[in-house]
Amino acid sequence: MSRTRALTLLILSILGIFAAYQYNRSTMATTPKLIPTSAIAKNGAIVVGSGLAGLSAASELIAANIPVRLLERNAKPGGNSIKASSGINGAPTLFQPGPPDTEFYADTIKSAGYAMSTAREHREKLIGTLTNSSASAVTWLNTTHGIDLSKVAQLGGHSRARTHRGAGGTPPGFAIVSTLLKSLKASPLFELKTSCTVNRLLRSGSSVTGVEYTCISPEAESTTSELHGPVIVTTGGFAGDAAGLLATHRPDLANFPSTNDPAPGFTHLLTSVGAQLLDMSSVQVHPTGFVDPANPSSPLKFLAAEVLRGEGGILLHDGERFFNELETREKVTAAILKNPPIEEKPKQWDVLLVLDEGVYEAAKSHIDFYIFKGLIRKTTIGDLGEKALPTIQEYAGAVAGKYEDKFGRTAFANWKLLEPEADSVVYVGRVTPVVHFTMGGVVISEKAEVLDAQGVPVEGVWAAGEVTGGVHGGNRLGGSSLLECVVFGRNAGERVVEYVKKEEK
Ligand code: FAD
Ligand code: SIN
């Protein structure tokens, strides 16, 4: 090598070291056009969205001493995850009553339904990962993070009780999100930026190298900046995107109320770097959102948690039961929609959720909250019209084992009212179907890699949680969304740890 060439190389490498030093010093550095992947990985990782998927991924990274910058578009963290009210699935766990539960995989395949006729092998891998990792997900939350998940209920479409929540009054979503956040915030390697929306992913060649994002200050000033590093996208679903993705993929659901706050979906972040979409028209309409008597036409509804039916509650239309309340959400909703709506804007049906004292005791903290909100009232069966008493007497006979339930329900949990009379106490609320969850999203591998049209992982980006598609097929089982967030969120975190360590070598 000539002396001039050697000198030029020396100067270039000194400049390179200086540039890398400047780049590492400020995580807000402006993007060079082409950044070596090694430099990107050393800054740590970027997580987009602070729901349970994002927090699970971030927890794995922090546990491996990898710095995390977490960007959240809302002023407060937690996404829909913080609202979760029934719990997280796990099987087999110590908390489940009875013999070891081996049916979770089969129940999930059955619930996924017609979707299993396409991409079956791919879906089986995802469902296998979800269900086989479910016990360790519950252990991770319970043992590693100290979150009480000792109470277990059977939700619709499950053949066993496997949805875990705490025995105290704290709802499971809040308990899980607040505990993980607290633990993350205790680390100097963790930085949370709220009111910051990621607009696009940055690329260098075909690899994702970071994000461009815009933050809104309390004074409503906006600043757009860039961050560089491997990216985990956990932006949630599009059930609140009525005028956007929902209108595109399910125009028939226009005017349905929703449990999700209005907000745009963000799958385009990933499709713009080659991700594929799956199951976008599979939208879950949950059968029971409360119609608030104080604001009956609000398009945003409080969810009447499925655990209320799981603990023994029933549904009445015109004073009569009409279906097995513990069938999958898809089927219970379809049974309600067979009748015409009684209101058009929003579209609402007339269904009563009825609970007895036994259910009240089993789900006291939920029900007290709904009573406080004016969504459930304590009354007597005589107040529910003529047909309610014989209907509830017939149900009580099935609970007592006098005959089989005429709708095929086999689990009655804590329903205790075996001799109903007109003056027996019940708890009732009006409910209607609500857009709740989107099964569709970007295609991922079981390692949470984002796959392109050839099924090849896009370098530098991973995804987990409701933004992904394929894990639930045509219908998600209650309790399996928090589970998918933990399982695939942790998988994404672990893969990024490997990626960063490999790049560091
Ligand atoms: P989310 O928790 O929704 O988090 C996504 C976050 O990303 C949000 O905070 C959002 O603001 C942020 N974000 C979006 N786009 C951007 C962007 N471009 N830049 C920055 N940030 C962005 N599931 C269960 O398993 N069990 C339950 O008991 C249960 N109960 C539920 C009760 C209710 C009322 C609701 C609405 C849902 C419930 N679910 C339940 C479903 C479950 O809570 C969610 O599907 C799941 O938590 C989604 O988690 P996630 O991390 O994927 O998304
Ligand atoms: C519910 O509590 O009914 C919601 C549970 C879920 O969406 O998994």
Side-chain angles (χ1 to χ4, degrees):
M1 192 188 306
S2 75
R3 283 188 61 189
T4 327
R5 188 163 153 68
L7 196 63
T8 313
L9 279 178
L10 182 68
I11 291 169
L12 280 178
S13 51
I14 290 170
L15 281 176
I17 290 166
F18 180 70
Y21 168 72
Q22 290 289 14
Y23 179 77
N24 282 335
R25 234 170 37 123
S26 163
T27 53
M28 304 297 195
T30 20
T31 336
K33 282 283 169 276
L34 265 172
I35 311 162
T37 336
S38 53
I40 293 159
K42 275 182 193 150
N43 283 319
I46 301 158
V47 178
V48 188
S50 67
L52 182 54
L55 297 178
S56 301
S59 300
E60 288 300 333
L61 287 153
I62 293 294
N65 289 320
I66 309 286
V68 172
R69 282 86 35 93
L70 198 164
L71 298 168
E72 167 56 52
R73 83 175 151 198
N74 288 340
K76 286 192 178 158
N80 270 340
S81 305
I82 206 164
K83 296 191 197 173
S85 43
S86 284
I88 178 166
N89 296 332
T93 73
L94 280 180
F95 302 117
Q96 287 182 286
D101 176 4
T102 54
E103 297 304 310
F104 189 19
Y105 176 80
D107 285 353
T108 305
I109 297 273
K110 191 172 164 203
S111 167
Y114 65 89
M116 293 308 295
S117 58
T118 60
R120 188 170 181 105
E121 204 182 320
H122 174 71
R123 293 176 193 278
E124 282 176 348
K125 276 192 201 153
L126 294 178
I127 294 173
T129 302
L130 179 84
T131 55
N132 292 334
S133 312
S134 67
S136 62
V138 168
T139 306
W140 184 68
L141 293 172
N142 178 249
T143 311
T144 311
H145 291 283
I147 301 164
D148 176 19
L149 292 171
S150 59
K151 208 157 181 192
V152 189
Q154 180 169 346
L155 303 190
H158 292 272
S159 60
R160 290 280 301 273
R162 57 172 78 99
T163 308
H164 296 63
R165 67 186 197 277
T170 314
F174 183 82
I176 295 170
V177 164
S178 57
T179 306
L180 293 188
L181 251 183
K182 192 172 165 203
S183 146
L184 286 167
K185 282 179 178 172
S187 168
L189 297 176
F190 179 71
E191 185 187 8
L192 169 65
K193 284 170 174 283
T194 52
S195 303
C196 293
T197 302
V198 169
N199 314 312
R200 68 187 178 95
L201 300 182
L202 304 173
R203 280 208 282 185
S204 183
S206 59
S207 301
V208 171
T209 55
V211 299
E212 179 202 88
Y213 67 103
T214 301
C215 296
I216 310 290
S217 74
E219 297 74 35
E221 280 163 13
S222 78
T223 319
T224 297
S225 323
E226 292 180 354
L227 279 178
H228 304 108
V231 182
I232 301 178
V233 176
T234 56
T235 47
F238 58 91
D241 193 4
L245 286 174
L246 206 54
T248 306
H249 296 282
R250 285 298 300 273
D252 57 309
L253 294 178
N255 294 326
F256 270 69
S258 177
T259 55
N260 286 218
D261 291 297
F266 265 90
T267 43
H268 62 273
L269 283 182
L270 290 159
T271 50
S272 70
V273 297
Q276 304 298 297
L277 295 175
L278 183 62
D279 296 339
M280 290 298 275
S281 61
S282 296
V283 172
Q284 182 160 75
V285 182
H286 192 295
T288 63
F290 281 115
V291 179
D292 183 350
N295 189 8
S297 50
S298 170
L300 183 62
K301 304 289 188 210
F302 257 102
L303 185 72
E306 189 165 328
V307 74
L308 302 176
R309 283 175 284 137
E311 294 291 9
I314 53 173
L315 298 176
L316 306 186
H317 170 66
D318 192 20
E320 295 183 294
R321 284 181 69 224
F322 52 92
F323 208 64
N324 173 358
E325 294 85 356
L326 283 193
E327 256 295 357
T328 59
R329 291 172 183 181
E330 189 184 22
K331 291 183 180 164
V332 179
T333 297
I336 296 174
L337 300 194
K338 273 187 187 154
N339 292 301
I342 61 162
E343 283 128 7
E344 282 294 339
K345 228 171 169 191
K347 268 197 175 138
Q348 295 187 153
W349 281 256
D350 193 19
V351 178
L352 272 193
L353 173 68
V354 181
L355 318 167
D356 77 338
E357 293 277 18
V359 179
Y360 172 74
E361 285 306 326
K364 191 171 180 317
S365 54
H366 285 80
I367 299 170
D368 282 343
F369 174 74
Y370 300 137
I371 292 174
F372 168 73
K373 285 279 174 193
L375 303 169
I376 281 190
R377 67 197 166 91
K378 185 176 181 179
T379 184
T380 58
I381 295 178
D383 185 36
L384 307 182
E386 269 179 18
K387 293 185 198 162
L389 181 59
T391 298
I392 295 174
Q393 283 170 334
E394 188 178 45
Y395 178 65
V399 176
K402 290 182 191 160
Y403 37 79
E404 288 193 355
D405 177 55
K406 69 176 182 188
F407 297 107
R409 183 166 174 166
T410 52
F412 308 100
N414 290 294
W415 183 279
K416 301 251 159 51
L417 182 59
L418 300 184
E419 303 289 341
E421 303 289 349
D423 61 358
S424 302
V425 167
V426 280
Y427 298 80
V428 297
R430 182 180 161 201
V431 292
T432 192
V434 271
V435 172
H436 178 61
F437 180 88
T438 48
M439 273 76 71
V442 299
V443 178
I444 55 163
S445 71
E446 62 274 29
K447 295 176 184 168
E449 297 153 322
V450 173
L451 301 181
D452 69 11
Q454 283 70 47
V456 175
V458 180
E459 191 182 343
V461 67
W462 290 259
E466 200 175 336
V467 72
T468 70
V471 180
H472 311 287
N475 179 70
R476 173 174 69 80
L477 289 171
S480 277
S481 178
L482 293 185
L483 175 62
E484 99 174 288
C485 291
V486 174
V487 169
F488 292 98
R490 290 183 70 199
N491 278 357
E494 282 166 9
R495 295 294 88 74
V496 174
V497 170
E498 281 171 11
Y499 182 77
V500 171
K501 292 203 163 148
K502 194 175 80 199
E503 296 301 334
E504 270 174 0
K505 276 184 194 156

